[in-house]
Amino acid sequence: MSKQTAIRLSDETYARLQALAKRTGRTASYYIREAIEERLEDLEDIYLAERVLERRERGESKTYTLDELERELGLDD
């Protein structure tokens, strides 16, 4: 199932989107969906990284060097 939403675009962005859709024979919706799906993963990764850094700064998580990790996992031989 898919959901519908509405967005506002600048006139320039709208014109570019329409021109691309016309040149390629695809719909504007296709390109909007592609752009969101591609960028959404990046945004999710950024958000997760920011939360990890915040926890690290508050002392709620620890980082390890590669040497420490190898020793901990018994891979230091």
Side-chain angles (χ1 to χ4, degrees):
M1 176 182 255
S2 61
K3 302 288 183 190
Q4 187 173 358
T5 190
I7 62 169
R8 292 188 187 276
L9 301 173
S10 69
D11 291 343
E12 178 186 354
T13 300
Y14 180 81
R16 290 174 60 200
L17 181 60
Q18 293 303 315
L20 177 63
K22 185 176 182 179
R23 282 194 312 267
T24 62
R26 295 204 181 255
T27 64
S29 294
Y30 169 83
Y31 287 111
I32 292 168
R33 196 169 33 257
E34 287 290 305
I36 291 172
E37 288 174 1
E38 182 175 317
R39 183 72 171 120
L40 187 58
E41 186 172 338
D42 293 339
L43 292 170
E44 290 167 336
D45 289 345
I46 290 167
Y47 179 80
L48 177 62
E50 288 172 347
R51 299 298 78 78
V52 169
L53 286 173
E54 288 171 2
R55 285 197 318 269
R56 176 68 179 108
E57 289 171 356
R58 290 191 305 263
E60 296 172 358
S61 66
K62 184 178 184 326
T63 57
Y64 297 89
T65 67
L66 179 57
D67 289 338
E68 291 170 329
L69 184 60
E70 287 175 341
R71 275 194 305 278
E72 181 72 23
L73 297 175
L75 302 173
D76 58 343
D77 45 347

